[in-house]
Amino acid sequence: MPATTIPELLRDAAGKFGDRVALRQPDGKDIHTWTWNQYLTAAEEVAAGLKALGIEKGDHVALCSETRAEFYLADLGILTNGSVAAALYPSYPAEDLKRTIAMADAKALFVEDFKTLRKLGNLDGAGLRLVVVLTGDVPPGSGGGAISMSVLRTHGRYVAGISPEDNAILYLTSGATGEPKMVMVTHGAVVANVHAGPYVLPLDENDITIAFLPSAHIAQRVVLEILPILSATAVSFVESLAKLQHEIKTVRPTWFLAPPRVWERVYTSIRGEILKKPAIAQKMFFAALGLGLGAARYKREGKPVPMHIRFPLEIANRLIFGKIRDRFGGRLRVAASGAAPLGSDLAEFYEAIGMPLIEGYGLTEGGVTALNPLDAPRPGSIGKKLPHVEFRVSEEEGELLIRGSSLSRGYYKDPEATAELLRDGWLHTGDIGTIDPEGYIYITGRKKELIVASNGKKIFPSRVEAMFKFEPLISQVMLLGDRLPHLVALFTINPQIAETVAGVKESGKELHEAPQVIAEVQSIVSRINKQLAPFEQVKRFRVLPREFSIDFGEVTATMKVRRKQVMENFKADVDALYQLSSSGRGGE
C-alpha cells in the first residue's frame, strides 16, 4: 500500500535502500553522510526527544536554519512526532524572525547553530518550551535553556500515529506582493504532490542532486527534500552559496534545480568570458549558438534537423557547448528552473547549448502543479499539468485556477483570505495565463503586479523585465508606470560586465554613473523597445548604485523583487524619472 504520510515515505525508503547514502553534508575538509537507515533513526530519535520534552502532536515547531542535512533530520523528526514544521527564512532580520515565530504559535524552535541563536537575541515571551541547536554544542553557562541536537536524541525512538488529514507543514510565503502569510498543508496533500513526481521525473536510487534553496520555500521542501525520499535519491548540500560551483564539480549531480537567478548568472558569466575572447572566437560562438537555436526550433516543430545544421552542430557540441555543460559535472540529465518565472530567451539559450531547462510551476498554497515534459520542453511555458491537478482559466480575468489533491487548507488564522483564495473548490492563483491546445500553460503576469497606464493600457511587467534580464549588463530591473503616462525602469548592473565597456575605466566615475555604461544601457533599452508595443516601451530609466537587497527588504529570500519596498527605498530616483530631472544615471 502506498505511503499516505511523510514519515511513511521515509520508512519505506529505509526498508528498501537502508544502507545506501541518503544525505551528504560537506563540513570543512570533512564529508558527513547518512544512510536511509540512519536518516530514519535520527527522525525517530528527534520525535522521541520532542515527545519527552513536552512537544505534542499538532504543536507547531519552527526551524531557523540554512538548508543542510541536519535540517532534514529535524524536519522529519518533527513530522514523525505528529507536530507541524514551520521553516523560517534565516536571512531575514532577527526582529522579523521573532515576529514570525510568534505568528506561527511555535512551541519549540530549532536553530542552525549557537551563532544563529545569538542573532535572534532574547526569546523570552515567545512562548517557546524548547530550543534546540542543530549543529555544534551549546556553550556551558550560555543561558536560555537551549540544548544540542545530540542531547535531544537521547530519549529513544518514537513514532506518532498520523493520518493523511493531519497538518504537516506551516509554510511562510515569501511576501513578494504583500505581507507574508502562513499556509497550512496536510500530510495527504504533500504526499499526493510527490506521488506525481515519478510521472514526470524519472529519478531513482542511482541519482543525486544538490540542495541549496531556502527550506522555507515550497520548491526546496517538496522537490528537493520530500520527493527524493519517495525516489530514494541522494541529496548533497553546500556549506555556502560561494561553494556551490565547487560542489557541483565534486558531486556531479544527475539532476539539479535552481531559481532563474542562478541560470541568469551562469549565462552572464559565459557571455562575459566570450566577450573577452578574440573576434574570431566570438564569431564562432555566436554562429554555433545560431545553429543550436535553429535545431531547437526544428525539434519543437517535430521536424528532423537538416544536415546543414546537424553536422556543424555536432562539431560545436564537442568544441564549445560540451565545455559549458561540463561546468555542471558532465552527468546532468535534468536541469530544472523553479521558484520564480524564467524568461523565454534564457530558456532558449540553454536549449540551444544542449541543456534544456525544464521549467515548472508551483505555489505555496497549491503545491507543485505543472512541469515541462523532459522530451518536449517549451521555452516560455511552465509546462503541462501534473496528474493530480486540473487547470482552467477564468473567463472574467484570465486567471489560472487549480483544483486537486495537493491544495493547502488555506491561510493560518486568516479565514477571510482563505475564502478569497479557495472558491468552489478552485484555488485562485493570482497568475494570469493561457493554456494552448496541446496543454502547455503560459503565464502572462501577476494580477497584483499589473501596471495600468494613464491611457488605460494594461502591462504585465514580468514579460518585459525578462527581456532585459537576458542582457548580460543588466542584473536586476523593475518597471514602474501604474496610472502614469509612460513606463520607466530602475536597473542594477553586473559590475564584471560594466568593467568591460570601452572607456569606462578612464571615465573616473563610479560604474553606475559612467557615461559609457549609461550609453550602453540606453542602447539596450532602445533595442528592446523595438520589440515592444508603444505603450510597453521604457521611456526613461535610472541605473542604481547598488543591487536590490534582502537587508533593505527589497527582495525575498528567493530573490523575488518587492516592488513596493523598492519604490519606497528609491523614491528620489522614481520622482526624478517623472520630473524629467537628470543626474547622469538615466536615459531620455
Side-chain angles (χ1 to χ4, degrees):
M1 182 176 176
T4 58
T5 68
I6 300 170
E8 285 177 2
L9 290 174
L10 182 56
R11 284 197 292 277
D12 287 351
K16 295 175 184 175
F17 304 102
D19 291 328
R20 292 184 71 104
V21 171
L23 307 175
R24 178 187 180 278
Q25 176 67 57
D27 185 11
K29 294 182 180 179
D30 298 325
I31 303 292
H32 301 295
T33 61
W34 288 261
T35 65
W36 289 105
N37 279 333
Q38 290 169 330
Y39 193 174
L40 177 64
T41 297
E44 293 182 354
E45 287 179 352
V46 167
L50 292 173
K51 178 71 172 174
L53 297 176
I55 306 303
E56 301 293 340
K57 179 180 178 180
D59 284 344
H60 296 183
V61 180
L63 300 103
C64 186
S65 170
E66 299 292 348
T67 297
R68 56 182 299 123
E70 289 86 355
F71 178 100
Y72 282 32
L73 305 182
D75 198 30
L76 267 292
I78 293 165
L79 298 174
T80 300
N81 187 49
S83 303
V84 178
L88 313 178
Y89 287 101
S91 56
Y92 285 0
E95 290 307 310
D96 288 354
L97 292 171
K98 287 195 279 190
R99 185 167 60 251
T100 303
I101 292 167
M103 286 171 55
D105 294 325
K107 297 295 188 293
L109 169 67
F110 286 79
V111 295
E112 181 171 351
D113 49 26
F114 195 69
K115 179 181 177 181
T116 304
L117 186 57
R118 285 204 309 269
K119 171 188 172 179
L120 289 172
N122 188 350
L123 291 170
D124 291 345
L128 296 171
R129 300 175 191 161
L130 177 67
V131 176
V132 181
V133 176
L134 287 174
T135 64
D137 296 321
V138 178
S142 58
I147 64 171
S148 68
M149 180 80 143
S150 58
V151 171
L152 181 71
R153 291 178 57 184
T154 59
H155 296 270
R157 298 174 69 169
Y158 172 72
V159 177
I162 307 167
S163 75
E165 292 73 32
D166 288 332
N167 292 329
I169 297 174
L170 186 62
Y171 283 113
L172 170 68
T173 66
S174 61
T177 57
E179 284 299 311
K181 293 183 174 70
M182 300 280 189
V183 178
M184 186 64 77
V185 184
T186 65
H187 280 268
V190 175
V191 173
N193 205 172
V194 299
H195 274 310
Y199 291 95
V200 289
L201 285 175
L203 305 175
D204 60 29
E205 68 276 13
N206 298 308
D207 284 298
I208 186 168
T209 190
I210 295 177
F212 66 96
L213 286 168
S215 278
H217 196 281
I218 188 172
Q220 163 62 37
R221 203 71 160 280
V222 171
V223 182
L224 293 174
E225 180 183 351
I226 301 171
L227 176 60
I229 299 175
L230 176 67
S231 59
T233 298
V235 178
S236 188
F237 303 87
V238 296
E239 289 185 85
S240 67
L241 281 179
K243 294 185 178 181
L244 177 58
Q245 189 58 47
H246 170 76
E247 286 304 311
I248 288 173
K249 290 180 179 179
T250 302
V251 174
R252 302 176 63 228
T254 59
W255 74 289
F256 183 67
L257 169 67
R261 191 75 176 138
V262 169
W263 301 114
E264 289 165 7
R265 286 177 172 170
V266 171
Y267 165 75
T268 297
S269 174
I270 293 167
R271 282 289 299 264
E273 292 171 16
I274 296 299
L275 293 175
K276 292 177 183 178
K277 292 183 179 293
I280 185 65
Q282 293 186 39
K283 187 175 181 180
M284 288 175 59
F285 175 81
F286 290 112
L289 191 59
L291 291 169
L293 290 169
R297 281 194 293 271
Y298 276 104
K299 290 176 182 176
R300 284 201 300 273
E301 294 169 2
K303 299 176 182 177
V305 179
M307 181 65 74
H308 72 274
I309 292 178
R310 189 168 68 246
F311 179 69
L313 185 56
E314 289 175 359
I315 298 172
N317 261 312
R318 289 198 302 271
L319 299 180
I320 301 173
F321 298 151
K323 293 178 181 178
I324 297 174
R325 296 194 297 269
D326 284 346
R327 296 184 183 203
F328 292 89
R331 294 197 302 169
L332 201 58
R333 293 190 296 108
V334 180
S337 180
L342 178 74
S344 59
D345 286 345
L346 194 66
E348 287 175 358
F349 168 79
Y350 282 100
E351 186 179 38
I353 68 169
M355 198 174 83
L357 294 184
I358 307 302
E359 185 174 10
Y361 174 77
L363 65 168
T364 311
E365 296 87 346
V368 180
T369 55
L371 190 72
N372 265 280
L374 295 185
D375 58 348
R378 293 280 177 88
S381 161
I382 59 169
K384 298 183 176 183
K385 75 174 190 69
L386 297 185
H388 67 289
V389 292
E390 298 174 63
F391 271 81
R392 72 178 177 90
V393 178
S394 71
E395 294 181 2
E396 303 82 16
E397 298 176 294
E399 182 181 6
L400 289 175
L401 310 182
I402 300 173
R403 180 167 66 184
S405 55
S406 65
L407 268 56
S408 70
R409 283 189 160 154
Y411 298 116
Y412 180 57
K413 295 198 301 188
D414 195 340
E416 291 183 5
T418 299
E420 183 67 19
L421 173 75
L422 300 167
R423 286 175 258 163
D424 299 322
W426 290 91
L427 186 150
H428 290 243
T429 67
D431 288 313
I432 306 300
T434 60
I435 304 174
D436 74 11
E438 295 178 77
Y440 286 90
I441 305 162
Y442 296 83
I443 292 178
T444 311
R446 290 284 295 171
K447 283 174 59 176
K448 290 185 178 180
E449 293 176 356
L450 177 68
I451 293 174
V452 181
S454 57
N455 61 4
K457 296 290 187 180
K458 295 180 180 180
I459 303 143
F460 289 104
S462 59
R463 185 182 74 85
V464 179
E465 289 168 350
M467 298 170 74
F468 281 105
K469 283 192 257 185
F470 189 64
E471 296 288 336
L473 179 61
I474 305 301
S475 177
Q476 296 163 308
V477 56
M478 192 179 96
L479 297 188
L480 304 97
D482 197 39
R483 311 296 173 186
L484 294 166
H486 56 258
L487 284 185
V488 299
L490 300 177
F491 292 111
T492 70
I493 55 172
N494 287 308
Q496 296 87 351
I497 302 297
E499 288 170 356
T500 67
V501 175
V504 74
K505 293 181 179 177
E506 293 75 29
S507 71
K509 298 272 191 178
E510 294 290 332
L511 289 175
H512 67 283
E513 296 177 323
Q516 296 85 350
V517 171
I518 302 300
E520 188 64 29
V521 175
Q522 180 65 70
S523 176
I524 291 169
V525 170
S526 299
R527 184 168 64 251
I528 290 177
N529 275 348
K530 292 177 181 177
Q531 305 172 51
L532 299 170
F535 65 88
E536 295 178 305
Q537 293 174 359
V538 173
K539 301 301 183 184
R540 290 178 55 80
F541 65 86
R542 300 280 276 190
V543 178
L544 302 178
R546 63 170 177 81
E547 293 250 306
F548 303 146
S549 167
I550 290 176
D551 294 338
F552 292 100
E554 296 151 356
V555 293
T556 70
T558 52
M559 303 308 292
K560 294 175 184 172
V561 175
R562 286 181 168 141
R563 295 175 183 271
K564 181 179 178 182
Q565 192 63 51
V566 170
M567 290 178 67
E568 288 180 8
N569 291 359
F570 293 99
K571 186 177 186 300
D573 292 276
V574 175
D575 288 346
L577 286 169
Y578 282 104
Q579 292 167 4
L580 300 182
S581 64
S582 177
S583 65
R585 302 206 325 265
E588 295 294 336

